[in-house]
Amino acid sequence: MTRRLRLSYLTLVVLVLLSLEIPLGIVYSGAERQRVVRTAEDEAEALAAYARLSLGSHQTAALARRVSHCAERIDGEVFVLDRDGRVRAASRPLSDREARDMLGRRHVRAALGGRAATEVRTSGYGRVEVLAAAAPVTAGASRSGAVHLTLPTEVASQRVHRVWVTLALAGLFVLTAFAGLGLAVARWTGRPILELEAVTAQLARGDLSVRATLATSTGPPEVRRLAGTFNDTAARLEHVMQSQRAFAGEASHQLKTPLAALRLRLDNLEPGIAPAARANLTAAMTETERLARMVETLLAMARLEEHATVREPVDLDRCARERAATWGPLFASQGCRLILAGERVGLALAVPGAVEQILDNLLSNALRVSGPGTEVRLETRHVRTTRRVPREARSSWVELHVVDEGPGLPPEQRARAFDRFWRAPGAAGGGSGLGLALVQRLAVAGGGRASLEEAPRGGLDAVVRLPAVPPRPSAPPQRPVDGPRVPWTPRRMAGAARARLRPRTRGRLRRPPQADPSQEHAPRPARRSCGVRRP
């Protein structure tokens, strides 16, 4: 902003200077030229009057002295001609050729004809090089000759140059002064705005204690009012976030302890309760577990909104293997199969710990709707682009798929599945209605999205798309320079021709291999995060 203000000030000053100094210089150059011309004409007329008297009284010696004196005064050349064109007096000797050339000039012929004339030869605007003037010498009604003089115009040209240099220096001085003034005004205006930009960036990164101090005391009144409004907004936002942080911290202690005590009391009631009331006890314990999960999910969402989310590379293949190994025995205990399939996708950008929470929620929902004998597929896929794109840039997104064989959802219910506390009509018990909402928020925080699609076998396909980390370009294999080369024999040429005629299968999507339940890995303890940082 400071640079733009300075450029605008300087542009305005330059336009004003050009509109004032250029016309002033042109006017002065024209006036100086007219002054030199008038001086030459006056000298020629004065000498013509003296020559009329001298030629009439035949005083050629006095005329010669007057011509020499005039030539010295104007630092030029003076010639007096009679009516026949002969030179009667001259400031310097003339050759016959110079005399003929002088008689051939237009202004000399005009003076011999009785009319005064001047001739100006210029090179460039306002720079007079040679000025010649001629005046007739008349005696009554008759013409008795002419006066021709030439004078240099170096003095006039030097004056014009000095004026142009003076105008240029004055313009440069004014431009420098206004540049300093414009810089001061630009800094006075721009520094509070730059401070507001810096503190706004800090506020966006999560630092709620920042305040604009310089902008509230200096700068234009509008900027000071804006800084005051920003400080009020930051203070209110900090108060709200502190209240939310206090609520999350207090709720994590105040809600977990009563729930754990309630669950313990319900467990202690189980031996002494009547068989007819066991169903109610089981329902109460189920609702207690559901309430505990709901509290944990709400606290996780509050912590996600509280802290600034910073994305980092995450190894999706390792996360998928670990979650499949962790959830595999639980699926097997309910008669279901969890199959890990797909292709290697490498690294993706996500919030630390988000991929594990996403997979846990999706697998928990899939297990809840899956019956005995069904299978749930956990797949990782690339989002393919056109073949014409280089291999290093073909995959800009990666996807996590959790495909079940449950009852599924109609399109209008799939659109509402990510709303908080929404549960499908007739859904199995135990859900809180917050799992998919947390999945959506974690995916968006990582720069991706989550969606529910219809599975090929009638269930749901939960898709989470995340931005992929582009692989580093690898150097192409170098062909060895040394070593024997295989000659092109007829048999080898025929094999190459058959290879060209063979249909191409490169780039086609292959179906992922079916995993064998007997080859599943034993469950391992879940890791907190699969995030890896780029070296």
Side-chain angles (χ1 to χ4, degrees), residues 32-42 118 120 131 133:
E32 188 67 20
R33 176 177 177 275
Q34 293 296 328
R35 190 187 65 82
V36 174
V37 171
R38 286 194 301 269
T39 302
E41 290 177 349
D42 294 341
T118 58
V120 181
L131 176 62

Side-chain angles (χ1 to χ4, degrees), residues 45-55 59 62-67:
E45 290 178 358
L47 189 58
Y50 186 83
R52 184 179 68 248
L53 298 176
S54 299
L55 292 176
Q59 296 179 1
L63 179 61
R65 289 193 302 270
R66 183 62 180 267
V67 166

Side-chain angles (χ1 to χ4, degrees), residues 318-385:
R318 187 171 65 180
C319 288
R321 290 194 303 268
E322 290 181 355
R323 305 324 295 168
T326 302
W327 284 84
L330 186 57
F331 275 79
S333 64
Q334 296 191 13
C336 302
R337 290 192 307 167
L338 177 60
I339 300 176
L340 177 62
E343 54 186 336
R344 294 185 59 85
V345 294
L347 302 179
L349 292 177
V351 178
V355 177
E356 292 82 357
Q357 296 186 50
I358 290 174
L359 291 178
D360 288 341
N361 281 279
L362 295 181
L363 292 174
S364 175
N365 292 342
L367 179 61
R368 191 177 299 111
V369 299
S370 299
T374 60
E375 66 179 20
V376 175
R377 299 176 62 86
L378 173 58
E379 300 182 9
T380 54
R381 301 178 189 175
H382 279 297
V383 179
R384 299 294 183 182
T385 56

Side-chain angles (χ1 to χ4, degrees), residues 10 12 21 68 132 134 139 159 168 256 258 279 350 429 434 453 471 491 521:
L10 292 180
L12 181 60
E21 291 189 350
S68 300
R159 290 198 194 99
K256 288 182 180 180
L434 291 173
E453 301 176 1
R491 183 175 181 181
H521 300 283

Side-chain angles (χ1 to χ4, degrees), residues 119-142:
E119 181 182 4
V120 181
R121 300 175 185 175
T122 62
S123 62
Y125 187 86
R127 298 187 60 188
V128 181
E129 290 185 350
V130 177
L131 176 62
V137 179
T138 59
S142 62

Side-chain angles (χ1 to χ4, degrees), residues 488-499:
W488 281 94
T489 59
R491 183 175 181 181
R492 185 183 175 198
M493 294 175 64
R498 287 194 299 270

Side-chain angles (χ1 to χ4, degrees), residues 49-92:
Y50 186 83
R52 184 179 68 248
L53 298 176
S54 299
L55 292 176
S57 58
H58 301 284
Q59 296 179 1
T60 56
L63 179 61
R65 289 193 302 270
R66 183 62 180 267
V67 166
S68 300
H69 178 72
C70 182
E72 291 178 359
R73 187 174 66 253
I74 66 174
D75 194 16
E77 297 177 351
V78 181
F79 306 95
V80 178
L81 308 177
D82 59 10
R83 60 184 176 182
D84 296 328
R86 294 188 300 269
V87 179
R88 300 296 300 272
S91 60
R92 68 175 181 85

